[in-house]
Every structure is written in C-alpha cells, then in structure tokens.
Amino acid sequence: MAAPAQAPRIRGATVATVDPQLRALVGLGNPGKAYAATRHNVGFMAIDRLAARQGAAWSAKFNGQFGRCRLAGPQGEVDLALLQPLTFMNCSGHPTQQMCAFFGYKPAELLIFHDDLDLAFGRVQIKVGGGHGGHNGLRSLVAQLGDGAFVRVRGAVKVMCHLMFGLLALTAVQLFHLLE
C-alpha cells in the first residue's frame, strides 16, 4: 500500500503530536445575523465550509448546530461529529460538553477552530492542550470539559478564514501528518 501523501507545512504554524483518534470538530462563534461575518465567527465559517463540501446535514442538537461527515483517515474513513455551539462564544463549553458526554468523547478527541487577536498577522498555530490564553470561548471549554487537552487551530484574525479553509482542504490523513 502506498504511503499517504505528506501534508504541506504551513509557514508559521506551531506543530505538535496528536493521537489520530479525532472524533469531533467544533467551530467557535456567535449565533445570529449580526455576527455572521465577524472575526469571532471564523470557527463557524470553517465548519460550514467542511459541512458543505462533505454534504453534511445540520440538525439542532446539544444547544447548537450538529452534523456528521466522513473523511479519509490514517486507517480508513473517519466519522466526525461537527458542532457549532449556539450559546455565544463565552458559553461554548456547555454544548461541547453535552456532545462529549452523549458520545463518550474525551477532550483529546476534539479539534477546536477559533480566532485569536494576539497572533502576528499571517500566522496560524496548531496546538495540543494548554490553557485558555484569555480567550473566553476556550475558557468555557476548559471549565466545562475539565481538561484543555483538545487540539486548537487558531490564527491571526485577518487571515484566519483563508488558513482554516486551507487546512480543511487537506484530507484527514494529511492533517494527521501535519500534526506529527
């Protein structure tokens, strides 16, 4: 069997090792038309794009928008849950914890997309674990999950959509290699 294609390294990305048992992607944002195109909603935008590309259907569940999709993974196709918490950014932990409790997911099986004002323009970071760094959405997740061991994809606000969309264009296999 041929080796999986190597993912391109993203300039300026912090790379860490992650267990390839990814189960869910969570995009942080704020609900409503007033926030739809704001910097805080890049997490929603990234998940929306993936859902559309993979033909995932949304339903109201876990106090958010919930969907499922299948992506190629290191050992075959991976079934992933998609979640957009609709409780506003600062309370994202409640819906995420509800989903994790329902399916038995651990924090380390989550990948969280979110904005970050503190990064230099043009940078993106992929990080496993850590604190909230002053981000209220992450603060809520860490508090509700009891653990900050999830994967975070964060970037400078002005370029975040392009970088997230680039990451979502990768297959799951390529994403896992990028995180190695």
Side-chain angles (χ1 to χ4, degrees):
M1 186 155 124
Q6 288 291 328
R9 294 272 179 200
I10 296 175
R11 188 171 162 225
T14 300
V15 180
T17 302
V18 65
D19 182 348
Q21 295 303 313
L22 189 60
R23 303 270 187 234
L25 306 178
V26 179
L28 301 188
N30 288 317
K33 291 179 183 177
Y35 300 101
T38 66
R39 66 179 176 84
H40 289 297
N41 279 26
V42 294
F44 278 11
M45 293 175 205
I47 298 296
D48 279 338
R49 184 159 177 158
L50 176 65
R53 193 181 75 189
Q54 296 302 118
W58 291 111
S59 63
K61 195 168 188 174
F62 310 117
N63 207 5
Q65 292 281 64
F66 177 80
R68 296 196 85 84
C69 73
R70 296 188 65 76
L71 292 175
Q75 286 108 20
E77 281 200 342
V78 178
D79 182 40
L80 293 174
L82 308 174
L83 180 65
Q84 295 175 327
L86 296 180
T87 54
F88 288 92
M89 179 79 70
N90 297 354
C91 298
S92 299
H94 295 284
T96 306
Q97 189 279 329
Q98 290 173 346
M99 177 189 67
C100 289
F102 185 83
F103 291 112
Y105 298 157
K106 298 174 185 148
E109 297 172 323
L110 305 176
L111 189 145
I112 311 295
F113 290 101
H114 67 93
D115 65 315
D116 194 314
L117 287 172
D118 295 331
L119 289 179
F121 180 78
R123 292 187 58 91
V124 64
Q125 288 185 333
I126 301 171
K127 179 182 174 187
V128 179
H132 55 74
H135 190 286
N136 287 330
L138 293 180
R139 183 187 319 266
S140 176
L141 286 168
V142 172
Q144 291 300 311
L145 297 173
D147 187 346
F150 44 84
V151 179
R152 302 116 191 271
V153 177
R154 64 189 188 115
V157 169
K158 292 181 182 176
V159 297
M160 189 56 150
C161 287
H162 298 293
L163 293 169
M164 282 186 168
F165 295 160
L167 284 173
L168 289 176
L170 301 173
T171 66
V173 171
Q174 291 171 323
L175 181 59
F176 296 134
H177 283 289
L178 178 67
L179 295 172
E180 287 179 340

